[in-house]
Amino acid sequence: MPDDLIQGALFGSLDDEPAAPAPAPGELRVCALNINNPRVPRAQQTLSWLLASRSNVLVLTELKPSDGAKLIISGLAAEGFEVCLPPGWAGGSYFTVVATRGMPQTPVDGPGDPRAVAVDVEHDDKQIRIIGLYGPTNGMTTDSSDRRRAFQKTFLEYLHAIHRPKLLLAGDINVVEPGHQPPLTSFEEHDYAFYTGLQRLGLADAFRQAHPAVHEHSWISDRYGAQRLDHLFATPATGTLVNCAYDHTPRTSHITDHAALRATFILDAPA
């Protein structure tokens, strides 16, 4: 789509939504959403919803270098977000972005796959490392399993290498927790090992921390079963978790096929 057409569509959507007010000082509002590579009309709706979410950190997964993705990226930039794109994002494969507003960000070297992107954000002269991840989809074939296993191994090694005391990882990670309800036989031991490997690195599952006994799902399929695929993990030093919940509005309004995962942290408060 030509740039002038993108801008025309962009500003048409912003007129329909109130500007997102800034979070309180010291408040980190994170929204992770698989946007399902939208075409331009759906991208317009997605952008409006993201701005209305009042988040200052957005982790967006399942993008491709399409007109819809470019509209969202340019729209966020027009609203004051810094958008970090991974190297190789324009190559045609899926990629992830991390967008922040009100906190300076510095890109961090990624693992060499545009599915993952990392930034350091500044708060009171301290850094929080934020990583967005779109894990390989479970295709329920031997080849799919082999690809996921190799990616998960490489990513855990990468995460170990760039680990920081204040670290947050979010996105459609495409694994479920051990003991997931309902049980899902399509996931394998290496998928559960990836989830527990994140915990061994000191990253706590924010949703499970906020809701120890709740079984909720971010992607619903009559054929493959309801699954909690979208996650947010954070080290205790990142801040105090105030809330973490799935917002099903994007899914039920058909903006995408995933629920958004939204969380609020108070930075520099006792963890």
Side-chain angles (χ1 to χ4, degrees), residues 169 173 175-178 195 198-199 202-212 228 230-236 241 244 246 261 265:
L169 167 69
I173 298 178
V175 299
V176 298
E177 64 188 324
Y195 176 96
L198 297 173
Q199 295 181 317
L203 291 156
D205 180 335
F207 178 82
R208 189 53 66 215
Q209 187 178 354
H211 309 280
R228 188 166 80 90
D230 301 81
H231 300 277
L232 190 157
F233 291 86
T235 57
L241 179 67
C244 182
Y246 290 99
L261 180 56
F265 293 84

Side-chain angles (χ1 to χ4, degrees), residues 90-178:
S93 60
Y94 288 114
F95 67 95
T96 297
V97 303
V98 172
T100 61
R101 182 163 62 178
M103 297 174 291
Q105 67 164 242
T106 304
V108 175
D109 287 342
D113 190 312
R115 286 177 171 270
V117 63
V119 301
D120 283 336
V121 298
E122 302 287 339
H123 171 70
D124 287 347
D125 299 324
K126 298 176 183 177
Q127 288 186 336
I128 302 169
R129 183 152 290 180
I130 298 175
I131 305 167
L133 172 63
Y134 178 43
T137 303
N138 184 352
M140 288 171 282
T141 65
T142 300
D143 287 345
S144 168
S145 178
D146 291 343
R147 285 194 299 272
R148 293 198 318 282
R149 182 187 294 108
F151 180 93
Q152 292 160 359
K153 178 178 182 295
T154 299
F155 187 80
L156 284 176
E157 292 170 350
Y158 163 76
L159 201 57
H160 178 78
I162 68 159
H163 197 282
R164 293 292 184 274
K166 295 176 182 286
L167 182 69
L168 187 151
L169 167 69
D172 177 6
I173 298 178
N174 267 316
V175 299
V176 298
E177 64 188 324

